Structures are given as structure tokens and as C-alpha cells.
Amino acid sequence: MANSADQPLPAVGAYWIKEEDYPALREIFGDGHKLPPTWTEWVKMAEEMERGLKAYGHSVLRVHIDPRTFPDWCAANGTSPGAEGRKKFVAAAVRERYSDQS
């Protein structure tokens, strides 16, 4: 039986935004006013978070959010396009990619 310290940490997802989509997504997200005003500031923060997760040993899956499809995905999955919707969207993408993880 393998020691739990020998097992890799679970993969985690991080929502990712393309620069050209940032203004539209800030409008779509119910909590978009809480995000940094510019994509440059946001991506700096997101990359720092990603580096920290990787430093702890996690695989990080960047989950791109498309402003053209995200609101429909949220509606179809019974959530709103704010923090909760992003969390569910990312979790679904991680499950789909790493479905064999426990």
C-alpha cells in the first residue's frame, strides 16, 4: 500500500480569461465589480495563484471561460454567472478531464 505522501495531490482548476474577453466577462459575472479593473492586473493575480498551487504539487487545469457560452452553461446548470457559477464550471471541467481521480 502506498504512503499517502507518495500519492500526487489532486488536480485543481482555475478559471482563465482571455484578454479580449475580460471586459465582457466582468459585465456578465454577477460579482465582476470585485475583479481587478484590467486584465493585466487580473492575469498577474491568476498566475501568482497558479504558481502557488503548482509549488504545493498540484496539477493546475486552466479552464477558459467564454463570454458567449458561459451564461447559457450557467442557466442550464442552475447557477448564476458569478463566483458560484465559475466554481461549478471549473469543477465540471476538472471532473471531465480527471474523471479517474478520487
Side-chain angles (χ1 to χ4, degrees), residues 43-88:
V43 79
K44 180 181 176 187
M45 178 185 69
E47 287 173 342
E48 287 174 13
M49 179 196 67
E50 183 182 50
R51 277 191 299 276
L53 289 166
K54 287 180 176 181
Y56 277 103
H58 291 279
S59 294
V60 179
L61 176 65
R62 289 183 178 184
V63 180
H64 290 271
I65 297 182
D66 184 332
R68 293 165 292 284
T69 58
F70 184 64
D72 290 338
W73 185 93
C74 289
N77 288 276
T79 190
S80 63
E84 190 64 26
R86 291 191 302 272
K87 181 179 173 183
K88 288 181 178 184

Side-chain angles (χ1 to χ4, degrees), residues 1-72:
M1 187 164 127
N3 181 334
S4 64
D6 295 335
Q7 296 180 5
L9 292 174
V12 295
Y15 74 91
W16 217 258
I17 302 172
K18 293 179 182 177
E19 184 172 9
E20 62 269 19
D21 293 337
Y22 193 72
L25 286 169
R26 281 191 78 218
E27 290 292 320
I28 291 168
F29 294 161
D31 59 349
H33 63 281
K34 294 180 181 179
L35 297 178
T38 67
W39 178 84
T40 302
E41 293 171 274
W42 174 84
V43 79
K44 180 181 176 187
M45 178 185 69
E47 287 173 342
E48 287 174 13
M49 179 196 67
E50 183 182 50
R51 277 191 299 276
L53 289 166
K54 287 180 176 181
Y56 277 103
H58 291 279
S59 294
V60 179
L61 176 65
R62 289 183 178 184
V63 180
H64 290 271
I65 297 182
D66 184 332
R68 293 165 292 284
T69 58
F70 184 64
D72 290 338

